[in-house]
Amino acid sequence: MTQIDAARRGEITPQIAQVAKDEFRDPEFVREGVAAGRIAIPANINHPNLHACGVGEGLRTKVNVNLGISGDIQDAPQEWEKVAIAEKFGADAIMDLSNSGKTRVFRRQLIEKTPLMVGTVPMYDAIGYLETPLVKLTGDDLLRVVRAHAEDGVDFMTIHAGFNRRVLDTFMETGRLTNIVSRGGSLLFGWMMTTGKENPFYERFDEVLEICHEYDVTISLGDACRGGSTYDATDASEVAELVELGKLTKRAWDAGVQVVVEGPGHMALDEVAANMKLQKRLCHNAPFYVLGPLVTDIAPGYDHITAAIGGAVAASTGADWLCYVTPAEHLRLPDANDVREGLVATRIAAHAADIAKGVPHARDIDNKMSAARRRVDWDGMWECALDPERAQEILAQAPPSEDGTCTMCGKMCAARTVNRIMEGLTIDLGEDEK
Protein backbone atom coordinates (compact mmCIF):
# COMPACT_ATOMS: atom_id res chain seq x y z
CA MET A 1 0.00 0.00 0.00
CA THR A 2 1.38 3.38 -1.03
CA GLN A 3 1.36 6.60 0.96
CA ILE A 4 -1.57 7.89 -1.09
CA ASP A 5 -3.47 4.62 -0.62
CA ALA A 6 -3.03 4.83 3.14
CA ALA A 7 -3.93 8.52 3.29
CA ARG A 8 -7.16 7.88 1.39
CA ARG A 9 -8.06 5.23 3.95
CA GLY A 10 -7.60 7.78 6.73
CA GLU A 11 -4.32 6.34 8.02
CA ILE A 12 -1.47 8.40 9.46
CA THR A 13 1.60 6.51 8.28
CA PRO A 14 4.96 6.90 10.05
CA GLN A 15 6.10 8.94 7.05
CA ILE A 16 3.10 11.28 7.28
CA ALA A 17 3.75 11.68 11.01
CA GLN A 18 7.42 12.48 10.35
CA VAL A 19 6.57 15.11 7.73
CA ALA A 20 4.00 16.69 10.02
CA LYS A 21 6.55 16.96 12.82
CA ASP A 22 9.23 18.44 10.58
CA GLU A 23 6.84 20.94 9.00
CA PHE A 24 5.10 22.09 12.21
CA ARG A 25 1.82 20.84 10.76
CA ASP A 26 -1.01 18.76 12.14
CA PRO A 27 -0.73 15.16 10.87
CA GLU A 28 -4.26 15.43 9.52
CA PHE A 29 -3.24 18.40 7.39
CA VAL A 30 -0.50 16.30 5.78
CA ARG A 31 -2.72 13.23 5.43
CA GLU A 32 -5.42 15.23 3.65
CA GLY A 33 -2.83 16.75 1.34
CA VAL A 34 -1.39 13.35 0.42
CA ALA A 35 -4.86 11.89 -0.13
CA ALA A 36 -5.75 14.74 -2.48
CA GLY A 37 -2.43 14.62 -4.33
CA ARG A 38 -1.44 18.14 -3.26
CA ILE A 39 1.40 16.67 -1.18
CA ALA A 40 3.72 13.82 -2.13
CA ILE A 41 5.99 11.87 0.20
CA PRO A 42 8.49 10.03 -2.02
CA ALA A 43 9.38 6.97 0.07
CA ASN A 44 10.31 3.72 -1.65
CA ILE A 45 9.69 0.68 0.54
CA ASN A 46 13.29 -0.39 -0.22
CA HIS A 47 14.88 2.80 1.15
CA PRO A 48 14.83 1.88 4.85
CA ASN A 49 17.04 4.68 6.23
CA LEU A 50 15.09 7.42 4.43
CA HIS A 51 14.10 10.46 6.47
CA ALA A 52 10.62 11.02 5.06
CA CYS A 53 10.18 14.38 3.38
CA GLY A 54 7.00 15.99 2.06
CA VAL A 55 6.71 18.05 -1.10
CA GLY A 56 3.71 20.23 -1.80
CA GLU A 57 1.16 22.76 -0.70
CA GLY A 58 1.69 24.36 2.71
CA LEU A 59 5.11 22.79 3.24
CA ARG A 60 8.64 24.14 3.15
CA THR A 61 10.07 24.52 -0.37
CA LYS A 62 12.36 21.58 -1.05
CA VAL A 63 15.72 21.64 -2.84
CA ASN A 64 17.27 18.95 -5.05
CA VAL A 65 20.92 18.37 -5.96
CA ASN A 66 21.86 16.66 -9.23
CA LEU A 67 24.99 14.54 -9.42
CA GLY A 68 26.19 11.35 -11.06
CA ILE A 69 28.89 9.69 -13.12
CA SER A 70 29.26 10.91 -16.70
CA GLY A 71 30.97 9.37 -19.71
CA ASP A 72 33.73 12.00 -19.77
CA ILE A 73 34.37 12.15 -16.02
CA GLN A 74 33.91 8.78 -14.34
CA ASP A 75 35.07 9.87 -10.90
CA ALA A 76 33.02 8.13 -8.21
CA PRO A 77 35.00 9.64 -5.26
CA GLN A 78 34.10 13.14 -6.53
CA GLU A 79 30.43 12.17 -6.67
CA TRP A 80 30.60 10.94 -3.08
CA GLU A 81 32.11 14.29 -2.10
CA LYS A 82 29.08 15.92 -3.72
CA VAL A 83 26.78 13.65 -1.70
CA ALA A 84 28.49 14.78 1.50
CA ILE A 85 28.06 18.43 0.50
CA ALA A 86 24.38 17.87 -0.31
CA GLU A 87 23.80 16.43 3.15
CA LYS A 88 25.91 19.03 4.95
CA PHE A 89 24.35 22.09 3.33
CA GLY A 90 20.72 21.09 3.62
CA ALA A 91 19.56 19.46 0.39
CA ASP A 92 16.31 17.51 0.65
CA ALA A 93 16.90 15.22 -2.32
CA ILE A 94 19.60 13.88 -4.60
CA MET A 95 19.02 12.93 -8.22
CA ASP A 96 21.52 10.38 -9.47
CA LEU A 97 21.83 11.26 -13.17
CA SER A 98 24.62 8.77 -13.87
CA ASN A 99 24.56 7.91 -17.55
CA SER A 100 27.65 5.90 -18.29
CA GLY A 101 28.58 2.29 -17.73
CA LYS A 102 27.19 0.05 -15.01
CA THR A 103 25.56 2.63 -12.75
CA ARG A 104 23.74 0.23 -10.44
CA VAL A 105 26.56 -0.11 -7.93
CA PHE A 106 26.71 3.64 -7.28
CA ARG A 107 22.92 3.93 -7.16
CA ARG A 108 22.52 1.10 -4.65
CA GLN A 109 25.27 2.47 -2.43
CA LEU A 110 23.72 5.93 -2.55
CA ILE A 111 20.33 4.62 -1.47
CA GLU A 112 21.93 2.53 1.25
CA LYS A 113 23.90 5.43 2.71
CA THR A 114 21.85 8.62 2.37
CA PRO A 115 18.70 9.52 4.33
CA LEU A 116 17.78 12.04 1.60
CA MET A 117 15.19 11.29 -1.07
CA VAL A 118 16.84 9.74 -4.12
CA GLY A 119 15.60 10.21 -7.66
CA THR A 120 16.71 8.96 -11.07
CA VAL A 121 15.87 9.25 -14.76
CA PRO A 122 15.65 5.69 -16.11
CA MET A 123 15.91 6.92 -19.71
CA TYR A 124 19.42 8.21 -19.00
CA ASP A 125 20.51 4.86 -17.68
CA ALA A 126 18.88 2.63 -20.28
CA ILE A 127 21.60 2.81 -22.92
CA GLY A 128 24.49 2.11 -20.56
CA TYR A 129 22.64 -0.31 -18.28
CA LEU A 130 21.44 -2.46 -21.18
CA GLU A 131 24.46 -1.81 -23.43
CA THR A 132 22.04 -1.25 -26.29
CA PRO A 133 22.01 1.51 -28.95
CA LEU A 134 19.19 4.03 -28.52
CA VAL A 135 17.22 3.07 -31.61
CA LYS A 136 17.27 -0.62 -30.69
CA LEU A 137 15.68 -0.06 -27.27
CA THR A 138 12.20 -1.50 -26.87
CA GLY A 139 9.38 -0.75 -24.51
CA ASP A 140 10.25 -3.93 -22.62
CA ASP A 141 13.82 -2.69 -22.25
CA LEU A 142 12.73 0.63 -20.76
CA LEU A 143 10.33 -1.04 -18.34
CA ARG A 144 13.15 -3.36 -17.23
CA VAL A 145 15.21 -0.31 -16.28
CA VAL A 146 12.26 1.29 -14.44
CA ARG A 147 11.79 -1.91 -12.45
CA ALA A 148 15.50 -2.16 -11.66
CA HIS A 149 15.54 1.38 -10.27
CA ALA A 150 12.40 0.71 -8.23
CA GLU A 151 13.84 -2.51 -6.81
CA ASP A 152 17.01 -0.66 -5.83
CA GLY A 153 14.99 1.77 -3.67
CA VAL A 154 14.67 4.92 -5.79
CA ASP A 155 12.08 7.21 -4.19
CA PHE A 156 11.08 9.17 -7.29
CA MET A 157 11.69 8.75 -11.01
CA THR A 158 11.51 11.24 -13.83
CA ILE A 159 9.43 9.64 -16.57
CA HIS A 160 8.95 11.67 -19.78
CA ALA A 161 5.56 10.12 -20.50
CA GLY A 162 3.86 13.35 -21.60
CA PHE A 163 6.02 13.72 -24.71
CA ASN A 164 3.76 11.70 -27.00
CA ARG A 165 3.17 11.84 -30.75
CA ARG A 166 0.68 14.70 -30.39
CA VAL A 167 3.23 16.84 -28.57
CA LEU A 168 5.97 15.85 -31.01
CA ASP A 169 3.75 16.99 -33.90
CA THR A 170 3.16 20.32 -32.17
CA PHE A 171 6.90 20.77 -31.72
CA MET A 172 7.59 19.99 -35.37
CA GLU A 173 4.83 22.33 -36.59
CA THR A 174 5.65 25.34 -34.42
CA GLY A 175 9.45 25.20 -34.13
CA ARG A 176 11.74 26.68 -31.51
CA LEU A 177 14.85 28.75 -31.04
CA THR A 178 16.61 26.14 -28.89
CA ASN A 179 14.68 23.00 -29.89
CA ILE A 180 14.57 20.34 -27.14
CA VAL A 181 17.09 20.76 -24.31
CA SER A 182 15.84 18.03 -21.99
CA ARG A 183 18.33 15.16 -22.19
CA GLY A 184 15.62 12.54 -21.68
CA GLY A 185 13.32 14.38 -24.05
CA SER A 186 15.98 14.52 -26.75
CA LEU A 187 16.62 10.78 -26.46
CA LEU A 188 12.92 10.02 -26.81
CA PHE A 189 12.67 12.48 -29.69
CA GLY A 190 15.45 10.65 -31.48
CA TRP A 191 13.87 7.27 -30.76
CA MET A 192 10.40 8.34 -31.90
CA MET A 193 11.64 10.07 -35.05
CA THR A 194 13.79 7.08 -36.01
CA THR A 195 11.29 4.32 -35.26
CA GLY A 196 8.10 6.21 -36.09
CA LYS A 197 6.52 4.72 -32.97
CA GLU A 198 4.78 6.15 -29.94
CA ASN A 199 6.73 7.02 -26.78
CA PRO A 200 6.90 3.71 -24.85
CA PHE A 201 6.50 5.49 -21.50
CA TYR A 202 3.22 6.99 -22.74
CA GLU A 203 2.01 3.89 -24.59
CA ARG A 204 2.68 1.63 -21.60
CA PHE A 205 2.04 4.14 -18.84
CA ASP A 206 -0.24 1.75 -16.96
CA GLU A 207 2.61 -0.75 -16.68
CA VAL A 208 4.93 2.00 -15.40
CA LEU A 209 2.31 2.81 -12.78
CA GLU A 210 2.08 -0.84 -11.71
CA ILE A 211 5.82 -0.87 -11.00
CA CYS A 212 5.67 2.45 -9.16
CA HIS A 213 2.75 1.26 -7.05
CA GLU A 214 4.50 -1.99 -6.13
CA TYR A 215 7.44 -0.12 -4.58
CA ASP A 216 5.70 3.18 -3.75
CA VAL A 217 7.82 5.16 -6.19
CA THR A 218 6.62 8.71 -6.76
CA ILE A 219 6.43 9.45 -10.47
CA SER A 220 7.97 12.77 -11.42
CA LEU A 221 6.37 13.59 -14.76
CA GLY A 222 9.22 14.96 -16.85
CA ASP A 223 9.03 18.07 -19.00
CA ALA A 224 10.72 17.10 -22.24
CA CYS A 225 9.56 20.37 -23.80
CA ARG A 226 10.64 22.82 -21.12
CA GLY A 227 12.03 25.98 -22.64
CA GLY A 228 15.79 26.01 -23.12
CA SER A 229 15.75 29.77 -23.62
CA THR A 230 13.57 32.63 -22.44
CA TYR A 231 12.38 32.92 -26.06
CA ASP A 232 10.82 29.44 -25.94
CA ALA A 233 9.16 29.74 -22.51
CA THR A 234 5.50 28.71 -22.23
CA ASP A 235 5.25 28.13 -25.98
CA ALA A 236 2.95 25.74 -27.82
CA SER A 237 5.18 22.70 -27.26
CA GLU A 238 5.53 23.26 -23.52
CA VAL A 239 1.83 23.88 -23.00
CA ALA A 240 0.84 20.92 -25.19
CA GLU A 241 2.98 18.65 -23.04
CA LEU A 242 1.63 20.22 -19.86
CA VAL A 243 -1.90 19.33 -20.95
CA GLU A 244 -0.80 15.72 -21.36
CA LEU A 245 0.91 15.76 -17.96
CA GLY A 246 -2.35 16.85 -16.37
CA LYS A 247 -4.12 13.84 -17.86
CA LEU A 248 -1.35 11.50 -16.73
CA THR A 249 -1.47 12.96 -13.22
CA LYS A 250 -5.06 11.82 -12.81
CA ARG A 251 -4.27 8.39 -14.20
CA ALA A 252 -1.43 8.00 -11.70
CA TRP A 253 -3.59 9.08 -8.79
CA ASP A 254 -6.31 6.65 -9.88
CA ALA A 255 -3.66 3.90 -9.75
CA GLY A 256 -2.59 4.87 -6.23
CA VAL A 257 0.71 6.42 -7.34
CA GLN A 258 1.98 9.74 -6.02
CA VAL A 259 2.86 12.44 -8.55
CA VAL A 260 5.19 15.40 -8.89
CA VAL A 261 5.08 17.44 -12.10
CA GLU A 262 8.26 18.97 -13.53
CA GLY A 263 8.48 22.45 -15.03
CA PRO A 264 10.79 25.01 -16.65
CA GLY A 265 13.50 25.77 -17.51
CA HIS A 266 14.32 29.22 -18.88
CA MET A 267 11.70 31.93 -18.48
CA ALA A 268 11.56 35.72 -18.30
CA LEU A 269 10.96 37.03 -14.80
CA ASP A 270 7.56 38.54 -15.58
CA GLU A 271 6.25 35.19 -16.89
CA VAL A 272 7.17 33.02 -13.91
CA ALA A 273 4.14 33.54 -11.69
CA ALA A 274 1.70 32.98 -14.55
CA ASN A 275 3.45 29.75 -15.52
CA MET A 276 3.20 28.44 -11.96
CA LYS A 277 -0.53 29.14 -11.89
CA LEU A 278 -1.02 27.53 -15.30
CA GLN A 279 0.72 24.36 -14.20
CA LYS A 280 -1.25 24.12 -10.99
CA ARG A 281 -4.49 24.60 -12.92
CA LEU A 282 -3.73 22.08 -15.66
CA CYS A 283 -2.19 19.49 -13.30
CA HIS A 284 -4.83 19.68 -10.58
CA ASN A 285 -2.59 21.22 -7.88
CA ALA A 286 -0.05 18.41 -7.95
CA PRO A 287 3.33 19.39 -6.47
CA PHE A 288 5.42 21.36 -8.98
CA TYR A 289 9.16 20.75 -9.38
CA VAL A 290 11.12 23.35 -11.38
CA LEU A 291 14.66 23.75 -12.70
CA GLY A 292 15.42 27.37 -11.91
CA PRO A 293 13.69 28.97 -13.77
CA LEU A 294 16.65 30.81 -15.30
CA VAL A 295 15.48 34.35 -15.96
CA THR A 296 18.13 35.34 -18.50
CA ASP A 297 20.29 33.44 -20.99
CA ILE A 298 23.48 35.53 -20.92
CA ALA A 299 25.13 34.55 -17.63
CA PRO A 300 27.23 31.38 -18.14
CA GLY A 301 29.32 30.94 -15.02
CA TYR A 302 26.66 32.69 -12.94
CA ASP A 303 23.57 30.64 -13.74
CA HIS A 304 23.19 29.69 -10.08
CA ILE A 305 22.26 33.36 -9.62
CA THR A 306 19.86 33.55 -12.59
CA ALA A 307 18.20 30.37 -11.31
CA ALA A 308 17.98 31.60 -7.72
CA ILE A 309 16.22 34.76 -8.86
CA GLY A 310 13.69 32.76 -10.84
CA GLY A 311 13.41 30.09 -8.18
CA ALA A 312 12.49 32.59 -5.47
CA VAL A 313 9.68 33.97 -7.62
CA ALA A 314 8.55 30.50 -8.70
CA ALA A 315 8.42 29.07 -5.19
CA SER A 316 6.66 32.12 -3.79
CA THR A 317 3.93 31.80 -6.45
CA GLY A 318 3.28 28.06 -6.53
CA ALA A 319 6.35 25.87 -7.09
CA ASP A 320 7.00 23.36 -4.30
CA TRP A 321 10.42 22.02 -5.20
CA LEU A 322 13.50 23.65 -6.74
CA CYS A 323 16.18 21.76 -8.61
CA TYR A 324 19.47 23.53 -8.05
CA VAL A 325 21.54 25.06 -10.83
CA THR A 326 25.31 25.45 -10.43
CA PRO A 327 27.83 27.95 -11.87
CA ALA A 328 28.86 25.15 -14.26
CA GLU A 329 25.42 24.95 -15.90
CA HIS A 330 25.73 24.98 -19.71
CA LEU A 331 29.53 24.61 -19.41
CA ARG A 332 30.66 21.31 -17.83
CA LEU A 333 29.95 18.69 -15.20
CA PRO A 334 29.87 20.54 -11.86
CA ASP A 335 32.64 19.85 -9.36
CA ALA A 336 32.19 19.73 -5.60
CA ASN A 337 32.60 23.48 -5.17
CA ASP A 338 30.01 24.13 -7.89
CA VAL A 339 27.59 21.87 -6.03
CA ARG A 340 28.11 23.87 -2.85
CA GLU A 341 27.59 27.20 -4.65
CA GLY A 342 24.50 26.00 -6.47
CA LEU A 343 22.94 24.36 -3.43
CA VAL A 344 23.40 27.37 -1.15
CA ALA A 345 22.05 29.75 -3.81
CA THR A 346 18.98 27.57 -4.30
CA ARG A 347 18.41 27.19 -0.58
CA ILE A 348 18.46 30.98 -0.29
CA ALA A 349 15.79 31.17 -3.01
CA ALA A 350 13.67 28.48 -1.35
CA HIS A 351 13.92 30.08 2.08
CA ALA A 352 13.08 33.54 0.74
CA ALA A 353 9.98 32.05 -0.89
CA ASP A 354 8.97 30.26 2.32
CA ILE A 355 9.03 33.58 4.19
CA ALA A 356 6.92 35.17 1.46
CA LYS A 357 4.27 32.44 1.47
CA GLY A 358 4.07 32.16 5.26
CA VAL A 359 5.41 28.65 5.81
CA PRO A 360 5.16 27.96 9.56
CA HIS A 361 8.24 29.12 11.50
CA ALA A 362 10.16 29.98 8.30
CA ARG A 363 11.05 33.40 9.67
CA ASP A 364 12.27 32.13 13.06
CA ILE A 365 15.87 31.61 11.97
CA ASP A 366 15.98 35.09 10.38
CA ASN A 367 14.81 36.65 13.64
CA LYS A 368 17.47 34.70 15.52
CA MET A 369 20.13 35.91 13.08
CA SER A 370 18.95 39.51 13.44
CA ALA A 371 19.14 39.29 17.21
CA ALA A 372 22.71 37.96 16.97
CA ARG A 373 23.64 40.80 14.61
CA ARG A 374 22.20 43.33 17.02
CA ARG A 375 24.47 41.92 19.72
CA VAL A 376 27.41 41.61 17.28
CA ASP A 377 27.50 37.99 18.42
CA TRP A 378 29.59 36.24 15.79
CA ASP A 379 29.10 32.75 17.19
CA GLY A 380 25.36 33.33 17.26
CA MET A 381 25.46 34.40 13.61
CA TRP A 382 27.39 31.27 12.59
CA GLU A 383 24.67 29.13 14.17
CA CYS A 384 22.07 30.72 11.90
CA ALA A 385 24.04 30.99 8.67
CA LEU A 386 23.31 28.74 5.68
CA ASP A 387 27.05 28.48 5.06
CA PRO A 388 28.85 29.45 8.29
CA GLU A 389 32.23 28.36 6.98
CA ARG A 390 32.08 30.82 4.10
CA ALA A 391 31.01 33.63 6.42
CA GLN A 392 33.86 32.91 8.83
CA GLU A 393 36.37 32.79 5.97
CA ILE A 394 35.31 36.23 4.76
CA LEU A 395 35.48 37.76 8.24
CA ALA A 396 38.93 36.25 8.79
CA GLN A 397 40.28 37.77 5.56
CA ALA A 398 40.26 41.24 7.16
CA PRO A 399 40.20 41.02 10.96
CA PRO A 400 38.95 44.17 12.72
CA SER A 401 41.29 46.09 14.96
CA GLU A 402 38.75 46.10 17.75
CA ASP A 403 36.37 43.40 18.98
CA GLY A 404 32.69 43.86 18.32
CA THR A 405 33.19 45.41 14.90
CA CYS A 406 34.18 44.52 11.35
CA THR A 407 36.35 46.42 8.89
CA MET A 408 33.35 47.86 7.01
CA CYS A 409 32.49 50.39 9.74
CA GLY A 410 35.11 49.91 12.46
CA LYS A 411 34.42 52.11 15.48
CA MET A 412 31.44 53.59 13.64
CA CYS A 413 29.62 50.25 13.70
CA ALA A 414 25.93 51.13 14.10
CA ALA A 415 25.13 48.08 16.20
CA ARG A 416 28.10 48.70 18.53
CA THR A 417 27.27 52.40 18.90
CA VAL A 418 23.62 51.86 19.76
CA ASN A 419 24.41 48.93 22.05
CA ARG A 420 26.83 51.06 24.07
CA ILE A 421 24.38 53.93 24.30
CA MET A 422 21.67 51.53 25.43
CA GLU A 423 24.08 50.16 28.02
CA GLY A 424 24.95 53.68 29.19
CA LEU A 425 28.61 53.40 28.25
CA THR A 426 30.96 56.10 26.94
CA ILE A 427 31.76 55.93 23.21
CA ASP A 428 35.38 56.44 22.21
CA LEU A 429 35.48 57.73 18.62
CA GLY A 430 39.07 58.95 18.84
CA GLU A 431 40.38 62.54 18.41
CA ASP A 432 39.91 62.64 14.65
CA GLU A 433 36.28 61.55 14.86
CA LYS A 434 35.02 63.68 17.77
Side-chain angles (χ1 to χ4, degrees), residues 41-335:
I41 304 178
N44 190 310
I45 60 174
N46 287 343
H47 191 173
N49 68 326
L50 173 73
H51 184 96
C53 188
V55 181
E57 186 176 293
L59 307 183
R60 178 177 56 83
T61 304
K62 303 307 183 293
V63 174
N64 174 74
V65 162
N66 290 337
L67 48 81
I69 299 168
S70 76
D72 287 334
I73 304 178
Q74 299 190 30
D75 186 349
Q78 177 175 252
E79 299 312 305
W80 284 114
E81 185 179 357
K82 295 176 186 178
V83 172
I85 289 170
E87 294 176 348
K88 178 178 180 179
F89 290 96
D92 302 289
I94 293 173
M95 287 201 78
D96 174 16
L97 305 186
S98 297
N99 59 17
S100 179
K102 296 299 182 182
T103 59
R104 199 168 199 178
V105 172
F106 179 77
R107 181 169 61 253
R108 284 178 164 176
Q109 290 177 345
L110 177 63
I111 293 165
E112 178 185 351
K113 293 179 180 180
T114 187
L116 305 184
M117 299 182 288
V118 174
T120 58
V121 186
M123 189 67 205
Y124 293 1
D125 192 30
I127 298 170
Y129 178 77
L130 299 172
E131 296 183 333
T132 303
L134 173 65
V135 296
K136 293 186 178 296
L137 289 173
T138 67
D140 287 341
D141 291 333
L142 295 177
L143 288 177
R144 281 173 56 199
V145 178
V146 170
R147 177 168 289 280
H149 285 219
E151 289 175 350
D152 289 345
V154 169
D155 301 298
F156 63 100
M157 291 186 208
T158 293
I159 305 291
H160 298 89
F163 186 49
N164 57 23
R165 299 296 305 191
R166 287 189 296 271
V167 177
L168 186 149
D169 289 344
T170 297
F171 166 73
M172 295 299 291
E173 290 170 9
T174 57
R176 273 185 157 186
L177 179 61
T178 47
N179 290 324
I180 294 172
V181 300
S182 160
R183 187 192 306 171
S186 70
L187 293 172
L188 283 168
F189 173 77
W191 188 92
M192 293 164 70
M193 291 295 288
T194 302
T195 65
K197 297 179 180 179
E198 180 59 277
N199 177 353
F201 290 122
Y202 177 77
E203 192 170 47
R204 301 177 66 173
F205 191 61
D206 289 337
E207 294 173 71
V208 173
L209 293 177
E210 288 175 6
I211 297 170
C212 290
H213 188 272
E214 183 178 350
Y215 296 92
D216 199 1
V217 175
T218 296
I219 191 164
S220 187
L221 290 171
D223 53 338
C225 290
R226 68 174 182 266
S229 60
T230 56
Y231 184 89
D232 291 334
T234 324
D235 67 352
S237 298
E238 182 180 314
V239 174
E241 184 181 31
L242 195 56
V243 170
E244 299 296 331
L245 297 183
K247 299 175 186 177
L248 295 174
T249 295
K250 282 197 167 183
R251 286 175 60 183
W253 285 342
D254 289 344
V257 174
Q258 299 183 99
V259 176
V260 171
V261 178
E262 298 184 10
H266 294 238
M267 180 170 292
L269 191 61
D270 64 324
E271 300 176 30
V272 174
N275 187 279
M276 301 303 110
K277 292 178 181 178
L278 178 66
Q279 185 279 338
K280 288 286 186 175
R281 178 70 179 87
L282 292 178
C283 296
H284 322 292
N285 292 310
F288 198 21
Y289 177 27
V290 300
L291 178 70
L294 285 74
V295 295
T296 181
D297 304 319
I298 62 168
Y302 298 91
D303 276 327
H304 59 311
I305 297 174
T306 67
I309 293 168
V313 176
S316 65
T317 55
D320 306 289
W321 195 352
L322 302 180
C323 183
Y324 87 155
V325 172
T326 78
E329 185 78 7
H330 301 112
L331 301 172
R332 60 163 170 75
L333 186 75
D335 62 21

